[in-house]
Amino acid sequence: MEPAVSLAVCALLFLLWVRVKGLEFVLIHQRWVFVCLFLLPLSLIFDIYYYVRAWVVFKLSSAPRLHEQRVRDIQKQVREWKEQGSKTFMCTGRPGWLTVSLRVGKYKKTHKNIMINLMDILEVDTKKQIVRVEPLVTMGQVTALLTSIGWTLPVLPELDDLTVGGLIMGTGIESSSHKYGLFQHICTAYELVLADGSFVRCTPSENSDLFYAVPWSCGTLGFLVAAEIRIIPAKKYVKLRFEPVCGLEAICDRFTRESQRQENHFVEGLLYSLEEAVIMTGVMTDEAEPGKLNSIGNYYKPWFFKHVENYLKTNCEGLEYIPLRHYYHRHTRSIFWELQDIIPFGNNPVFRYLFGWMVPPKISLLKLTQGETLRKLYEQHHVVQDMLVPMKCLPQALHTFHSDIHVYPIWLCPFILPSQPGLVHPKGNEAELYVDIGAYGEPRVKHFEARSCMRQLEKFVRSVHGFQMLYADCYMDREEFWEMFDGSLYHRLRKQLGCQDAFPEVYDKICKAARH
């Protein structure tokens, strides 16, 4: 009887606590119980399975042969859709919860789902310096293979679960983007299955209009089945300098200067308040000074953004040598700083040593288990946005972020934007230096209302000829959306390739005002 009584007392106390704190508070701030007990072990099992599978497939060289069969199967599905009358739009059959985007795509339930099971690295050609991959290959797979043979991608976005297809059809960025541009700018060829079931390969010189229109199109021009991406020689470590800077003007000046220096392989800034930041610059190297090696990716190490903050608190510059793969995925364990809102004690040394090897939970599993109520609560109490603005507008942009949402830390990542056709390009005819301003967390402005605050931020971004990453919630109407993005080539190709009856327009696929 005693255990039953104790359990009943605990349940009663829990219900009283929920009543006092409120259900919203418990759902948002105490989710760690379910995450720690269930999602962390399940995420670990997922990772082990996919890494072992990728290694076996690559070693047996079975991927290229299977790839051709799978592409033919996709073509067959598309042709069957046409034969059945093309009654609904098509989309990939990948469940919406598997994507890294926090947006829930309800169109999966109403559109014709085309199953695309393409998740392998097909070929690494070190002579041509090209890797050919399928669209569901993740950044974790890419770094695990390429760094083991001495190569890497020029732009390798941080989170393990980001896929090649998502980074092409959406976009991707890394602290090397001030040299190489966005993820799309290191791609040399795309292979697609079009609305009529035909197969096409496009490059800057072959079917070039399609090549430049595919990035940011969110799968509304065809199904991506493979991509060829540049690779460069890798070195063992990143020699990383940490520089705390105070004062907004000084922060923007220093960040801009470092972003313009091509000798820097990596440039990144973490803004901890409007007046405090740490700017990091790095170069790849094969040698490390004794006593300065920091394997920041080890499970028991402090979360990277907390480690960086120590340089700000002590107001001291620093120099560390970080293993290359650890550097690439430096924000993975804490999902930038999002995990502190899910597991508040996640950076505690005791938790890191005992359970850090299971962190992070997979974003896809977090989405799958959040439920509609929690999703709506996060939408109203949480911001996840990346806004791309010209570097010359950085001071004004940071003031706007501070007044409209007041979320810290803020991620600053510079990138060069070439003057090329497509949905996203500079205002003039020359390449221009831009910066990605990433805001992830709970807004601290009084009376925050998601729709009105985000529309205000989107209006500012449009006014400076900036762009909003399309993985996040977008509140623009159709006219505002096409004011931000150049749809001239995109719309011409949709008509030319028969996409208007096969795929929804990108606006209808991603914007809240258009989704049902």
Side-chain angles (χ1 to χ4, degrees):
M1 284 295 291
E2 287 186 7
V5 171
S6 299
L7 188 61
V9 170
C10 289
L12 181 61
L13 290 173
F14 177 76
L15 291 173
L16 287 172
W17 179 61
V18 169
R19 183 168 180 82
V20 171
K21 288 289 189 179
L23 183 60
E24 283 192 19
F25 178 90
V26 174
L27 284 174
I28 293 175
H29 298 284
Q30 305 301 328
R31 200 180 176 202
W32 62 268
V33 177
F34 179 74
V35 170
C36 290
L37 292 179
F38 298 101
L39 293 194
L40 288 181
L42 195 57
S43 298
L44 183 66
I45 293 170
F46 264 61
D47 284 337
I48 292 173
Y49 168 74
Y50 281 114
Y51 283 130
V52 170
R53 180 193 178 283
W55 184 85
V56 170
V57 167
F58 189 79
K59 288 296 182 182
L60 294 178
S61 300
S62 61
R65 176 175 49 83
L66 294 174
H67 173 76
E68 293 175 3
Q69 295 174 4
R70 289 169 181 160
V71 170
R72 286 194 293 271
D73 181 62
I74 294 167
Q75 292 178 284
K76 180 182 177 183
Q77 292 179 69
V78 173
R79 287 168 180 150
E80 286 176 352
W81 166 82
K82 284 183 66 68
E83 291 170 2
Q84 292 167 4
S86 310
K87 296 175 183 177
T88 62
F89 289 137
M90 291 183 289
C91 67
T92 66
R94 190 185 188 208
W97 60 269
L98 274 174
T99 64
V100 171
S101 167
L102 296 180
R103 185 177 58 248
V104 177
K106 295 183 179 180
Y107 60 86
K108 295 280 186 179
K109 297 178 181 178
T110 58
H111 293 182
K112 170 65 176 177
N113 283 213
I114 303 298
M115 301 309 298
I116 297 180
N117 183 29
L118 300 171
M119 58 181 70
D120 294 318
I121 297 173
L122 300 174
E123 180 185 8
V124 179
D125 189 330
T126 55
K127 291 183 178 179
K128 294 182 179 178
Q129 297 193 7
I130 291 291
V131 59
R132 183 167 174 256
V133 299
E134 293 179 329
L136 296 183
V137 166
T138 67
M139 291 300 98
Q141 284 176 260
V142 170
T143 51
L145 175 65
L146 290 184
T147 55
S148 69
I149 57 175
W151 293 85
T152 187
L153 300 183
V155 177
L156 206 152
E158 290 88 353
L159 301 181
D160 278 9
D161 291 341
L162 293 170
T163 64
V164 168
L167 294 169
I168 291 170
M169 291 296 184
T171 193
I173 193 170
E174 173 50 67
S175 54
S176 56
S177 288
H178 67 294
K179 287 172 65 74
Y180 298 104
L182 299 172
F183 190 84
Q184 69 205 57
H185 299 128
I186 64 167
C187 296
T188 61
Y190 306 129
E191 297 173 17
L192 299 102
V193 171
L194 300 180
D196 61 356
S198 62
F199 172 86
V200 66
R201 184 175 186 271
C202 54
T203 70
S205 58
E206 177 187 5
N207 299 309
S208 59
D209 281 352
L210 183 58
F211 177 82
Y212 289 116
V214 162
W216 294 74
S217 66
C218 298
T220 59
L221 292 173
F223 294 111
L224 183 71
V225 294
E228 294 177 13
I229 310 169
R230 289 170 53 203
I231 58 176
I232 58 174
K235 295 188 177 181
K236 293 180 181 178
Y237 309 106
V238 173
K239 181 182 179 180
L240 194 64
R241 295 187 181 276
F242 302 81
E243 182 184 358
V245 185
C246 293
L248 182 60
E249 184 179 349
I251 291 169
C252 294
D253 287 346
R254 187 66 177 171
F255 186 74
T256 301
R257 286 202 307 272
E258 294 296 346
S259 301
Q260 292 169 337
R261 295 179 58 194
Q262 291 299 297
E263 57 265 37
N264 287 328
H265 295 163
F266 306 100
V267 179
E268 175 184 30
L270 294 186
L271 197 72
Y272 291 91
S273 75
L274 190 59
E275 302 289 334
E276 298 175 304
V278 178
I279 295 172
M280 290 159 280
T281 57
V283 295
M284 283 195 286
T285 179
D286 282 323
E287 304 295 333
E289 296 178 37
K292 294 187 177 180
L293 179 62
N294 183 4
S295 300
I296 194 68
N298 288 343
Y299 70 88
Y300 52 84
K301 288 284 189 173
W303 289 346
F304 184 72
F305 79 98
K306 287 293 188 183
H307 174 65
V308 174
E309 190 176 16
N310 287 331
Y311 285 103
L312 185 64
K313 291 178 177 178
T314 58
N315 195 30
C316 292
E317 295 185 8
L319 174 65
E320 298 177 0
Y321 292 81
I322 300 177
L324 181 62
R325 190 159 188 255
H326 289 213
Y327 175 80
Y328 279 139
H329 300 294
R330 63 200 178 280
H331 293 300
T332 292
R333 288 191 301 125
S334 56
I335 316 178
F336 281 86
W337 30 93
E338 288 280 71
L339 199 57
Q340 67 181 349
D341 292 332
I342 300 171
I343 308 177
F345 47 83
N347 195 46
N348 183 283
V350 175
F351 181 86
R352 293 200 313 264
Y353 274 90
L354 293 178
F355 304 107
W357 51 278
M358 290 193 290
V359 168
K362 295 188 85 64
I363 296 174
S364 55
L365 294 180
L366 290 171
K367 285 177 62 179
L368 179 64
T369 57
Q370 69 180 355
E372 187 67 15
T373 301
L374 186 58
R375 186 190 66 78
K376 289 181 178 178
L377 289 174
Y378 265 94
E379 185 178 299
Q380 289 302 319
H381 298 281
H382 205 81
V383 167
V384 179
Q385 292 285 346
D386 281 86
M387 299 293 189
L388 316 180
V389 301
M391 184 68 80
K392 62 189 177 186
C393 302
L394 180 58
Q396 184 185 1
L398 293 178
H399 272 296
T400 303
F401 270 73
H402 181 81
S403 60
D404 287 353
I405 57 175
H406 200 280
V407 170
Y408 292 99
I410 281 178
W411 189 54
L412 301 177
C413 184
F415 69 98
I416 192 70
L417 185 60
S419 180
Q420 295 176 346
L423 286 162
V424 172
H425 55 75
K427 193 172 184 178
N429 295 321
E430 295 182 355
E432 185 173 354
L433 189 63
Y434 272 63
V435 57
D436 175 7
I437 303 176
Y440 325 116
E442 188 174 344
R444 297 190 183 95
V445 293
K446 291 182 180 179
H447 312 299
F448 174 79
E449 199 280 317
R451 185 178 186 279
S452 61
C453 290
M454 291 315 305
R455 279 187 57 77
Q456 196 167 322
L457 194 57
E458 290 168 347
K459 182 179 179 181
F460 165 77
V461 173
R462 290 196 306 274
S463 72
V464 297
H465 196 70
F467 309 95
Q468 179 180 24
M469 282 198 184
L470 300 183
Y471 76 87
D473 283 332
C474 174
Y475 293 84
M476 292 180 283
D477 61 32
R478 194 179 303 272
E479 183 179 349
E480 292 166 340
F481 182 84
W482 292 117
E483 178 188 339
M484 178 178 285
F485 296 96
D486 181 359
S488 54
L489 176 61
Y490 171 79
H491 289 303
R492 177 164 61 82
L493 278 177
R494 273 179 61 82
K495 185 176 181 180
Q496 178 182 321
L497 298 174
C499 298
Q500 293 166 321
D501 296 323
F503 306 104
E505 187 183 291
V506 63
Y507 174 80
D508 295 311
K509 194 170 182 180
I510 63 98
C511 284
K512 293 185 73 67
R515 283 182 279 145
H516 302 289

